[in-house]
Amino acid sequence: MVISFDIFKDGKLQKAFIDKFERFSFDTIAQARNPLFIGIPRIECFAPFKRTEGEDTPETVAKAISDLGKKWLKEAGAAVEISDESVVELSPAFCYRA
């Protein structure tokens, strides 16, 4: 996809063009006939993995997945005690909530 934008160069407004190699779901909204938007709490759908230490590590992603599984089990009335130290991972096939 080629994107154009205006830039100032040598004191003049000029067109510039760049190639965009990645796409996001919101890039397709303009082509949709009947777009549908749903709101999901960020904590339930986003856990970035960007670093090896600190925030956004494999450990923080695993904890976010586990915490979400614990929340869903508690909301469903799980008959077992779920401690803070427990690690929970639910199969997407099992927990799909349509």
Side-chain angles (χ1 to χ4, degrees):
M1 172 190 324
V2 177
I3 299 173
S4 68
F5 57 95
D6 296 325
I7 62 168
F8 278 100
K9 184 174 182 183
D10 300 326
K12 297 179 185 176
L13 186 63
Q14 299 179 11
K15 282 276 188 212
F17 299 92
I18 60 168
D19 287 321
K20 183 177 177 186
F21 296 106
E22 63 181 350
R23 290 203 171 171
F24 298 95
S25 56
F26 54 79
D27 290 330
T28 63
I29 293 171
Q31 289 83 32
R33 280 180 279 179
N34 298 308
L36 174 67
F37 300 89
I38 57 173
I40 301 170
R42 180 183 171 103
I43 198 162
E44 291 190 12
C45 65
F46 184 73
F49 168 34
K50 299 178 180 180
R51 299 176 178 86
T52 57
E53 296 178 358
E55 293 184 16
D56 303 337
T57 63
E59 292 80 17
T60 61
V61 172
K63 183 176 182 331
I65 291 170
S66 180
D67 290 348
L68 183 58
K70 290 177 200 178
K71 177 180 179 279
W72 286 349
L73 287 173
K74 289 176 183 174
E75 288 175 355
V80 295
E81 183 65 31
I82 305 168
S83 72
D84 291 338
E85 295 80 31
S86 298
V87 176
V88 173
E89 186 171 350
L90 301 175
S91 165
F94 173 75
C95 63
Y96 176 69
R97 295 166 27 172

